[in-house]
């Protein structure tokens, strides 16, 4: 994070840099409340940018703030036409909070969309794991590996509310291989 802070210091008027700082805190220091200051800085600079609203969602999910996570997730979805990244994060947060029905609805929406647009198998692996569907999650992992889905590695390294998949020994073995 030190290198990132130095990069931010070179351009402190960049909402992008501030949002990336928040996302890095959320993903690699996942309970540090100082990540919210980076989101606030991004919001001061460009409150409507996709990365800003998504950074808010990721930070709230990381901090376990269910109410603000859902609220910022809905905002990110509205701002992006329901982009898969905020959709995935919302589904994962709902599952982590025990709202299996809501998380299943998100998964079903993504499945429906997959008939007409690409949806990475890693997204489904994460959602299935969060819903407790181990076999299905691992099958999606195998699909992700077969197609070399870059999200498989990226979302497996500490993103908020992805613990269900990361805790599976088979998933960890796939990452090592």
């Amino acid at each position: 994070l030190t290198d990132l802070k130095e990069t931010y210091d070179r351009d402190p008027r960049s909402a992008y840099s501030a949002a990336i700082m928040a996302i890095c805190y959320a993903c690699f220091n996942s309970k540090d409340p100082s990540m919210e200051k980076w989101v606030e800085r991004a919001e001061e600079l460009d409150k409507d940018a996709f990365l800003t609203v998504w950074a808010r969602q990721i930070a709230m999910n990381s901090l376990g703030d269910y109410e603000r996570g859902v609220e910022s997730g809905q905002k990110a979805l509205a701002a992006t036409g329901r982009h898969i990244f905020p959709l995935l994060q919302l589904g994962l947060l709902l599952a982590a909070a025990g709202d299996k029905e809501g998380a299943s609805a998100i998964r079903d929406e993504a499945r429906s969309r997959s008939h007409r647009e690409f949806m990475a198998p890693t997204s489904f692996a994460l959602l299935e794991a969060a819903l407790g569907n181990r076999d299905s999650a691992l099958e999606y992992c195998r699909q992700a590996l077969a197609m070399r889905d870059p999200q498989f590695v990226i979302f497996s390294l500490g993103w908020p509310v992805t613990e269900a998949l990361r805790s599976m020994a088979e998933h960890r073995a796939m990452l090592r291989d």
Side-chain angles (χ1 to χ4, degrees):
L1 290 176
T2 302
D3 289 341
L4 282 171
K5 288 177 187 175
E6 289 173 9
T7 300
Y8 173 80
D9 288 341
R10 290 186 200 125
D11 189 6
R13 295 176 308 273
S14 170
Y16 176 85
S17 292
I20 290 295
M21 286 295 300
I23 291 169
C24 288
Y25 266 88
C27 295
F28 301 108
N29 194 5
S30 63
K31 299 299 177 199
D32 187 337
S34 68
M35 76 181 83
E36 195 164 3
K37 80 174 185 170
W38 294 108
V39 174
E40 290 167 356
R41 179 63 181 149
E43 289 169 341
E44 288 171 17
L45 296 165
D46 191 352
K47 67 179 173 59
D48 296 322
F50 164 71
L51 204 58
T52 299
V53 294
W54 192 44
R56 166 67 65 192
Q57 180 191 24
I58 293 169
M60 295 305 96
N61 290 2
S62 181
L63 293 171
D65 189 328
Y66 177 81
E67 186 175 311
R68 291 193 305 161
V70 169
E71 178 185 322
S72 57
Q74 294 295 351
K75 183 177 179 182
L77 288 168
T80 64
R82 300 190 70 77
H83 189 283
I84 188 60
F85 289 169
L87 187 68
L88 171 62
Q89 279 290 308
L90 180 59
L92 294 172
L93 178 64
L94 293 173
D99 183 356
K100 301 294 186 188
E101 185 177 323
S104 293
I106 296 286
R107 181 209 48 215
D108 294 345
E109 176 184 341
R111 274 190 187 155
S112 176
R113 288 173 54 185
S114 74
H115 295 288
R116 43 180 209 287
E117 63 188 282
F118 177 75
M119 294 286 165
T122 299
S123 298
F124 292 111
L126 289 163
L127 286 168
E128 291 292 348
L131 288 165
N133 302 327
R134 179 183 201 84
D135 292 341
S136 181
L138 293 171
E139 177 55 33
Y140 280 116
C141 286
R142 286 187 280 281
Q143 290 176 23
L145 285 172
M147 68 170 290
R148 300 180 191 273
D149 179 1
Q151 293 178 24
F152 184 74
V153 174
I154 295 166
F155 288 127
S156 296
L157 297 176
W159 282 76
V161 290
T162 59
E163 295 84 3
L165 184 61
R166 290 186 291 118
S167 69
M168 293 181 186
E170 300 91 339
H171 174 258
R172 290 191 308 274
M174 289 179 200
L175 286 169
R176 282 191 304 272
D177 296 341

